[in-house]
């Protein structure tokens, strides 16, 4: 039996200019900039990570700011919404903030009895704030203008837009997730323990959306496992199931395997270890450009070719 997969680890998307992305996620949403590094498969592109104070698994939204990539629009077979957990009673604060900062609030809705604010980021990517209860052990990032009782804790979850939700649901059940409820075109899956981060995946029946992959598109979603041993169990199991996962790739702060789930979404399974404090202390995360050891010899050229941030 492979270890149960509990929750999301990170979500990675494509953005336009890095400074606009940085401004939105830190100054508007109040996340902490936790790692400034490069795309290890494309070293002249940044890989920017934002999260809660400790950059815990289940809080990291990450971006590849690819130069010259066209504006994207959502397609069936992609993750199309990123949801963030905020404390109950914080929506008055957020409504006011969205208005003052002229942020693109789409609507307020209720789903499965929970109140949410749907909004777009600077690239038009859909995000939600969900009022919910998150364990007190999760430490939000402190900013001057967002009080602790409103600050984002990390991920609530994500929405996958699918032509057939059944086979993806089957895979989530293999992960150890359970169907919580169904409402309209959405089936909700959750993992334990429920007051942790990133434990909700909504499978939305949304066939026939033919968008374009580009700025504002989610590239992949990563689920978390505690360590290399659990990851190897899953690599074996996914291979047996016919998903053809990749070899383990060293992402410096975690190790990863990737595969496409039956609905077309690129899934990753990432280890909690070693974490974002591997190459800089918790207090100063995100302050310097960090390169993996195998790219240090190219630092001068990399720094020259990356845009100012
Ligand atoms: Zn990833």
């Amino acid at each position: 039996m492979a270890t149960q997969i509990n929750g999301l680890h990170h979500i990675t998307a494509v953005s336009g200019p890095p400074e606009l992305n940085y401004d939105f996620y830190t100054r508007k949403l109040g996340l902490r900039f936790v790692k400034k590094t490069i795309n290890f498969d494309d070293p002249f592109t940044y890989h920017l990570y934002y999260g809660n104070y400790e950059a815990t698994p289940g809080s990291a939204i990450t971006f590849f700011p690819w130069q010259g990539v066209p504006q994207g629009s959502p397609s069936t077979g992609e993750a199309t919404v990123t949801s963030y957990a905020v404390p109950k009673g914080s929506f008055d604060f957020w409504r006011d903030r969205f208005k003052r900062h002229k942020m693109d609030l789409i609507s307020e809705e209720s789903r499965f009895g929970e109140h949410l604010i749907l909004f777009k980021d600077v690239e038009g990517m859909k995000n939600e704030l969900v009022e919910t209860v998150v364990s007190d052990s999760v430490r939000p990032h402190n900013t001057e203008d967002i009080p602790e009782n409103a600050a984002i804790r990390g991920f609530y979850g994500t929405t996958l837009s699918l032509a057939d939700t059944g086979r993806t649901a089957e895979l989530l059940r293999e992960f150890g997730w359970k169907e919580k409820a169904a409402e309209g075109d959405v089936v909700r899956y959750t993992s334990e323990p429920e007051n942790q981060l990133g434990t909700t995946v909504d499978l939305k029946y949304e066939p026939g959306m033919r968008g374009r992959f580009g700025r504002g598109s989610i590239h992949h979603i990563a689920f978390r496992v505690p360590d290399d041993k659990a990851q190897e169990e899953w690599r074996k199991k996914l291979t047996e199931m016919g998903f053809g996962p990749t070899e383990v790739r060293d992402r410096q702060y975690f190790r990863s395997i990737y595969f496409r789930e039956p609905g077309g979404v690129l899934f990753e399974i990432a280890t909690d270890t070693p974490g974002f404090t591997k190459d800089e202390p918790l207090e100063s995360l995100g302050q310097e450009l960090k390169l993996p050891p195998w790219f240090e010899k190219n630092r001068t050229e990399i720094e020259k070719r990356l845009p100012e941030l």
Side-chain angles (χ1 to χ4, degrees), residues 10-12 47 62 220-222 254 256 258 268:
H10 65 271
I11 293 178
T12 295
H47 193 180
T62 94
H220 63 265
I221 67 168
F254 44 88
S256 302
Y258 303 83
E268 172 181 343

Side-chain angles (χ1 to χ4, degrees), residues 104-115:
D104 197 352
L105 192 156
I106 304 171
S107 58
E108 287 197 35
E109 293 171 22
S110 170
R111 192 184 309 140
F112 299 105
E114 281 173 329
H115 197 186

